[in-house]
């Protein structure tokens, strides 16, 4: 598996970078991307911080700061699913992936490009939600905390990028939209992004602890509250990333075998 996901050699680096640029441009010009990545997170941030009653201090931080982290992660889910998910399902159905396999790109370049593109478009999603919190609620953190928060959430979103690719390979073009939407919101609710964990029933709190969104949220909430880093959060996210990217590699090979079979 390691050889199949290696970075492209020097001879194929130029077409790889060209394809990566094309992929990012295609995604960012899509209205669905703008809605999932910026529209929904900003809308919910406004609803939960301006219309609903204040939650006071949550997990060591004022409610606007706590919910800023939640909606930044929500935007990261949307960005990841905009690159994989329904788009990948449609491209498989149209034969686009089959055509790319006969180009000079290395064998795994398609999904590798998707993963990198997901990380690339996740970063502005995090920054936009953070900027909204600063402008709308005068959220103030130290420069070191801001940098640590954005970098932590960005790197920690790797499992979300992998999950988006898995969904793109598993779901067909007809079921991808509803499937992605259910998992998109399901990850947010089950991970405790819309409701503080202390307000959730005990069973739901246990579920949230094992969701990638819950663990990523805990990393972010601890960062803004000045609390100690929890290595279990990172280990759970790493485990998700390894398993999901291994699944992506297997699904990619299965697709290639079916096309040649």
């Amino acid at each position: 598996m390691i050889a199949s996901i290696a970075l492209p050699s020097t001879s194929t680096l130029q077409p790889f970078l060209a394809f990566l640029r094309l992929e990012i441009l295609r995604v960012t010009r899509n209205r669905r991307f703008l809605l999932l990545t910026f529209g929904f997170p900003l809308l919910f941030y406004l609803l939960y911080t301006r219309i609903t009653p204040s939650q006071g201090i949550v997990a060591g931080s004022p409610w606007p700061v706590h919910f800023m982290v939640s909606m930044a992660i929500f935007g990261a889910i949307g960005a990841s699913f905009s690159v994989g998910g329904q788009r990948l399902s449609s491209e498989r159905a149209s034969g686009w992936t089959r055509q790319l396999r006969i180009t000079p790109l290395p064998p795994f370049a398609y999904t590798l490009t998707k993963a990198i593109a997901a990380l690339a478009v996740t970063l502005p999603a995090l920054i936009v939600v953070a900027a909204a919190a600063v402008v709308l609620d005068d959220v103030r953190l130290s420069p070191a905390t801001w940098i640590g928060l954005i970098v932590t959430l960005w790197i920690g979103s790797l499992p979300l990028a992998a999950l988006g690719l898995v969904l793109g390979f598993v779901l067909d073009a007809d079921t991808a939209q509803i499937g992605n939407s259910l998992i998109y919101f399901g990850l947010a609710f089950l991970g405790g992004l819309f409701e503080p964990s202390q307000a959730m029933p005990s069973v739901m709190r246990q579920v949230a602890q094992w969701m990638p969104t819950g663990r990523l949220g805990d990393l972010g909430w601890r960062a803004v509250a000045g609390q100690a880093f929890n290595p279990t959060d990172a280990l759970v996210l790493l485990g998700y990333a390894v398993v999901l990217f291994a699944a992506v590699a297997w699904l990619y090979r299965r697709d290639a075998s079916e096309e040649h079979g």
Side-chain angles (χ1 to χ4, degrees):
M1 185 181 75
I2 294 176
S4 66
I5 61 175
L7 289 172
S9 62
T10 303
S11 61
T12 56
L13 185 59
Q14 185 173 358
F16 175 83
L17 292 177
F19 180 48
L20 176 61
R21 177 177 177 275
L22 173 65
E23 182 65 25
I24 293 175
L25 288 175
R26 290 175 66 221
V27 172
T28 53
R29 289 172 179 173
N30 186 281
R31 292 181 181 178
R32 180 179 175 82
F33 165 78
L34 298 175
L35 180 64
L36 294 179
T37 307
F38 304 118
F40 281 159
L42 293 177
L43 174 63
F44 284 121
Y45 181 82
L46 284 171
L47 289 175
Y48 277 71
T49 59
R50 294 302 179 91
I51 298 178
T52 59
S54 174
Q55 301 281 346
I57 301 298
V58 179
S61 299
W63 173 241
V65 178
H66 180 91
F67 200 63
M68 172 192 70
V69 174
S70 299
M71 288 302 96
I73 297 171
F74 191 53
I77 303 172
S80 298
F81 284 19
S82 294
V83 174
Q86 184 179 358
R87 174 179 290 274
L88 177 51
S89 299
S90 299
E91 290 173 354
R92 289 174 56 238
S94 68
W96 176 240
T97 55
R98 188 183 306 111
Q99 292 297 318
L100 286 172
R101 287 192 177 101
I102 62 175
T103 67
L105 293 169
F108 200 68
Y110 180 73
T111 47
L112 178 61
T113 301
K114 288 282 188 181
I116 296 175
L119 287 178
V121 299
T122 293
L123 186 58
L126 301 174
I127 294 174
V128 165
V129 174
V134 171
V135 173
L136 298 174
D137 288 298
D138 198 32
V139 169
R140 292 289 181 265
L141 301 173
S142 69
T145 302
W146 278 121
I147 294 173
L149 174 65
I150 297 299
V151 171
T152 297
L153 296 183
W154 188 44
I155 296 175
S157 67
L158 264 173
L160 302 177
L163 179 57
L165 295 177
V166 169
L167 294 176
F169 279 114
V170 170
L171 301 175
D172 59 38
D174 295 326
T175 61
Q177 182 171 358
I178 183 64
N180 277 280
S181 298
L182 289 173
I183 296 174
Y184 174 51
F185 283 95
L187 283 171
F189 282 105
L190 294 176
L193 300 185
F194 284 98
E195 186 176 14
S197 59
Q198 57 264 41
M200 300 171 70
S202 59
V203 174
M204 296 300 295
R205 286 200 299 270
Q206 294 299 318
V207 171
Q209 289 182 0
W210 293 105
M211 298 295 291
T213 42
R215 287 296 180 173
L216 185 55
D218 191 56
L219 283 175
W221 297 322
R222 284 176 175 271
V224 295
Q227 298 173 357
F229 171 80
N230 182 3
T232 304
D233 293 332
L235 289 174
V236 172
L237 289 170
L238 178 61
Y240 268 111
V242 170
V243 171
L244 290 170
F245 274 115
V248 170
W250 181 82
L251 289 166
Y252 177 85
R253 290 196 195 97
R254 185 199 66 177
D255 258 28
S257 298
E258 290 177 353
E259 288 175 2
H260 289 94

